[in-house]
Amino acid sequence: MNTNRHTVLVVEDEALIRFAVADALEDAGYQVLEAASVLEAVGQLGLNEDIDLVVTDVDMPGALNGLDLARMISECAPHIGVIVSSGRGRDDMTDLPQTVRCLPKPCTAAMMLSMVADMLKRRALVGDESFRRIA
């Protein structure tokens, strides 16, 4: 169980997937916030300064997708880790910032939790500034 109570924002437009991811994260001890679109995610990021990590799907309703969100976070709030999850091939994710991690769909809860824990651990070990360079 995670005793640091890191906060993870889950961005997924499919409610059942969002709930399943949020439940898995909560069961692992994380505090979880949810958003069903990029615009909702931006609102959550503006309201909650304690978000440590964002897990986002690529395909979203509206003009912005999860790749756009990952780029925005990397530019405007590089201290926040980002995991992009997609069933697409990695070809459209090649221009993402180096700190963004890609999680292929389908994946197990264990795979997702492992990647979340790894990103948060690296950030804690090397500090926010170094995390941006090596994550």
Side-chain angles (χ1 to χ4, degrees):
M1 170 130 341
N2 177 6
T3 57
N4 290 336
R5 291 298 288 178
H6 289 287
T7 301
V8 179
L9 172 59
V10 177
V11 187
E12 169 65 63
D13 63 316
E14 295 288 335
L16 292 177
I17 295 172
R18 187 174 65 250
F19 296 153
V21 170
D23 284 348
L25 288 163
E26 287 173 346
D27 288 348
Y30 297 101
Q31 181 174 333
V32 178
L33 301 171
E34 298 178 32
S37 70
V38 172
L39 292 179
E40 281 185 34
V42 169
Q44 288 281 15
L45 288 161
L47 293 172
N48 299 284
E49 294 180 7
D50 59 343
I51 294 173
D52 299 296
L53 181 73
V54 174
V55 178
T56 183
D57 185 29
V58 171
D59 295 318
M60 294 281 166
L64 300 172
N65 63 33
L67 301 175
D68 298 319
L69 179 62
R71 288 182 195 102
M72 284 189 288
I73 292 169
S74 294
E75 186 173 318
C76 299
H79 62 282
I80 298 174
V82 181
I83 296 173
V84 175
S85 183
S86 176
R88 302 179 182 192
R90 290 182 170 234
D91 291 342
D92 35 327
M93 293 192 248
T94 56
D95 65 338
L96 286 174
Q98 288 184 331
T99 57
V100 175
R101 294 284 172 250
C102 298
L103 181 65
K105 281 184 179 179
C107 70
T108 64
M111 290 169 56
M112 187 259 314
L113 290 171
S114 175
M115 185 173 283
V116 166
D118 183 58
M119 286 192 76
L120 292 170
K121 182 174 136 186
R122 284 183 190 210
R123 189 175 137 222
L125 287 175
V126 299
D128 291 341
E129 187 65 32
S130 297
F131 175 76
R132 292 195 297 259
R133 292 191 303 265
I134 69 162

